[in-house]
Amino acid sequence: MRSWVSSFIEYVADQLKQVVAAESSPLSVRRLVAFKGHRSAPCDANSSERIDMALAQGFRSLGSVENVEAPEYANTVALIEVRQCLSEQNCAYWQLAQRTHTLHSTQINRRFAWGLTVCGTHVRACLFGNDDILASKVMGVATESGRKQFVTLLVNWAMCESQRLGYDSTVRYNGETSQWEIDVWDDESRVTHTYIHERTLFDISSQFGRRTRCFIASAKENSGEQPAPKVLIKDAWAPTEFPDSEVVRDELSNLRTIRDKLGADNALAGTYSHLEAGGVVQQMQTKQKTADDTTGSIFADIDAAVLEDVPARIHRRVATTPVGEQLKSVRSVDELIVVVSDVMAAHTAIVRRCGILHRDLSTNNIMFCRDDDGMVRGLLIDFDNAVLQSDLHDEQRPDQIGTFPYMSIGNLEQSSVKRTALDDWESLIYILEEG
């Protein structure tokens, strides 16, 4: 089974190479090659999970490229699950979804991913979005029309722009410095800020949903003699529509409000996430033009009827300072008291002066910074679930939202009582009890 799939892909690549070579003007074509080998474990996987096959890019434009012997998730364009018979289609889907999650986790420049299932002579292309897996109609390679469809797909993958394969043009690998560069577009100043990736703090925990990633980075352009200050970059796909029963959440808008209203208060400096830059990711399109990165642009060529139940999302990226340490790293009870005092002072100021309720106090969102003298300062982060208090109404059923171990009783029981700052203070009690 795997032999004919690999041979078919290699044949298409060879034929395309000949067509391109005959053109008077050179075309930009990637050579897709199949990982050779039966159910190999990628050498950069965190587990021993094995893959059936995968497509990788050959980097020698028109020269011969040998089949890849050692698979790596980092170099994979699309994973392939191969089964003997049609009855195993659902199993192939399940395995492909599991492996593609690992691919997403490994490639920080991935927005979405493609995959293939091959069951007998039936081939399906799968597009892994944020809220669903979209599968193509069957390409029956036992028929001429089915083979033509499969060849067309492979040629399109070889010749399309990289963003159509799911890659992010705003996250680039610099071969000269061996570093990733991440662009953060600021909607207000209309300026792109470029940062150097230092490490990944949180990778996507789920194949679906917001797919939040957090990176620690530093500014690429640093004119001073001192090292560039570190920033926390948060990358997520936020929903653009909310059910009538839910309150609209807009982290970027909340961060701007907090910065504008509290930025001049030196007593609170460094105790909350300060927005440095943020906006909708500007994805490169054809003809060197950029556009907002949305699920709508990804699914632009798909029948609207297919997408009827697929939520619309927008790709946002924000850079904030300072970068803190996790709460579990405090060295004493005295330091814990200082951290909690600072965080709740910031929380109170944000409620009273900005009209914003955090709604998700947890051990992940209370952090601290340590200065050169060893003194600590608390830091409140992650306003993903924060809302304007003015949007909360008595007649509206409150959302059950937050981190389960630290939710207030009213939140857990989905009480009809409107949420207030007291729910966040109750969450703090559970955080301290855990410690």
Side-chain angles (χ1 to χ4, degrees):
M1 281 289 295
R2 294 165 186 81
S3 178
W4 80 255
V5 177
S6 178
S7 299
F8 191 98
I9 293 171
E10 186 175 355
Y11 174 78
V12 173
D14 287 338
Q15 294 300 307
L16 182 59
K17 180 182 73 172
Q18 294 178 27
V19 172
V20 171
E23 293 291 325
S24 56
S25 56
L27 298 175
S28 177
V29 177
R30 62 179 62 84
R31 182 181 174 92
L32 297 179
V33 295
F35 284 146
K36 192 175 182 180
H38 172 48
R39 297 190 61 78
S40 302
C43 57
D44 57 348
N46 291 326
S47 67
S48 59
E49 64 181 16
R50 299 174 180 273
I51 59 175
D52 277 0
M53 293 183 66
L55 289 179
Q57 295 189 53
F59 294 100
R60 279 173 281 173
S61 180
L62 294 177
S64 61
V65 181
E66 297 297 327
N67 281 354
V68 180
E69 297 287 350
E72 291 185 0
Y73 277 115
N75 296 330
T76 297
V77 174
L79 296 173
I80 306 172
E81 282 293 323
V82 183
R83 295 291 183 272
Q84 292 286 342
C85 54
L86 301 182
S87 62
E88 297 182 276
Q89 180 67 66
N90 287 338
C91 179
Y93 282 149
W94 186 86
Q95 291 282 5
L96 188 62
Q98 295 293 313
R99 308 299 181 254
T100 301
H101 174 250
T102 305
L103 182 146
H104 265 120
S105 301
T106 306
Q107 299 183 3
I108 68 170
N109 62 333
R110 269 291 178 140
R111 299 150 58 233
F112 63 91
W114 290 96
L116 287 174
T117 63
V118 181
C119 297
T121 59
H122 285 195
V123 178
R124 291 179 185 265
C126 299
L127 191 156
F128 291 83
N130 291 74
D131 296 280
D132 211 344
I133 302 173
L134 304 180
S136 71
K137 294 181 179 179
V138 170
M139 294 174 278
V141 293
T143 67
E144 181 179 352
S145 61
R147 289 192 295 273
K148 182 178 180 180
Q149 290 174 331
F150 191 23
V151 169
T152 301
L153 174 67
L154 293 173
V155 171
N156 284 337
W157 280 353
M159 302 189 69
C160 70
E161 301 89 349
S162 61
Q163 64 266 21
R164 290 182 177 271
L165 290 175
Y167 293 106
D168 191 334
S169 62
T170 65
V171 181
R172 304 169 302 278
Y173 187 74
N174 188 327
E176 294 182 1
T177 62
S178 299
Q179 293 173 313
W180 286 96
E181 298 179 358
I182 303 173
D183 291 340
V184 179
W185 168 256
D186 188 74
D187 286 342
E188 283 190 324
S189 64
R190 313 297 293 176
V191 172
T192 297
H193 301 259
T194 301
Y195 298 93
I196 304 299
H197 172 274
E198 294 190 4
R199 66 186 175 95
T200 300
L201 194 61
F202 297 113
D203 214 327
I204 57 173
S205 58
S206 172
Q207 175 70 34
F208 303 108
R210 299 177 64 90
R211 286 187 186 158
T212 301
R213 287 184 168 110
C214 290
F215 311 111
I216 294 178
S218 55
K220 182 179 180 181
E221 301 297 335
N222 181 34
S223 56
E225 295 181 359
Q226 298 296 323
K230 290 180 171 53
V231 300
L232 177 67
I233 296 177
K234 184 176 181 180
D235 181 289
W237 289 80
T240 59
E241 300 174 353
F242 294 86
D244 293 337
S245 60
E246 291 187 17
V247 181
V248 174
R249 305 188 301 274
D250 189 338
E251 182 178 28
L252 182 57
S253 176
N254 288 334
L255 287 172
R256 286 194 177 119
T257 299
I258 294 168
R259 179 194 62 190
D260 295 343
K261 293 191 175 183
L262 301 184
D265 191 335
N266 293 330
L268 293 173
T271 62
Y272 59 87
S273 295
H274 182 273
L275 181 66
E276 299 292 336
V280 179
V281 173
Q282 298 298 294
Q283 201 60 229
M284 185 64 68
Q285 304 295 321
T286 56
K287 299 181 180 178
Q288 300 300 304
K289 293 183 179 180
T290 60
D292 289 354
D293 196 14
T294 66
T295 50
S297 63
I298 293 173
F299 300 144
D301 298 326
I302 297 177
D303 189 342
V306 176
L307 303 174
E308 185 176 355
D309 297 325
V310 178
R313 292 182 180 273
I314 193 164
H315 190 187
R316 286 198 178 116
R317 192 174 291 151
V318 298
T320 60
T321 55
V323 175
E325 299 179 47
Q326 291 186 311
L327 186 61
K328 64 182 181 181
S329 299
V330 294
R331 299 171 182 170
S332 65
V333 173
D334 289 346
E335 286 191 350
L336 177 62
I337 293 172
V338 171
V339 169
V340 170
S341 174
D342 289 341
V343 164
M344 297 315 293
H347 179 276
T348 300
I350 290 169
V351 170
R352 293 179 178 176
R353 294 160 59 181
C354 305
I356 294 172
L357 186 62
H358 191 282
R359 302 201 306 168
D360 190 16
L361 260 63
S362 70
T363 53
N364 287 330
N365 297 336
I366 295 179
M367 306 187 82
F368 72 94
C369 298
R370 189 180 300 277
D371 63 23
D372 295 337
D373 296 326
M375 303 298 291
V376 297
R377 185 140 217 206
L379 172 64
L380 179 62
I381 68 167
D382 194 357
F383 291 81
D384 236 1
N385 292 319
V387 294
L388 294 174
Q389 287 184 297
S390 58
D391 288 341
L392 300 175
H393 307 291
D394 290 330
E395 66 275 9
Q396 184 181 46
R397 187 170 185 83
D399 305 340
Q400 186 186 51
I401 204 160
T403 305
F404 271 109
Y406 315 109
M407 286 182 179
S408 68
I409 293 175
N411 193 0
L412 281 171
E413 294 182 345
Q414 293 185 282
S415 164
S416 59
V417 178
K418 183 173 67 174
R419 303 286 182 264
T420 69
L422 291 178
D423 289 275
D424 284 350
W425 280 93
E426 185 179 337
S427 295
L428 177 65
I429 294 173
Y430 306 138
I431 292 171
L432 295 177
E433 283 183 343
E434 183 180 280

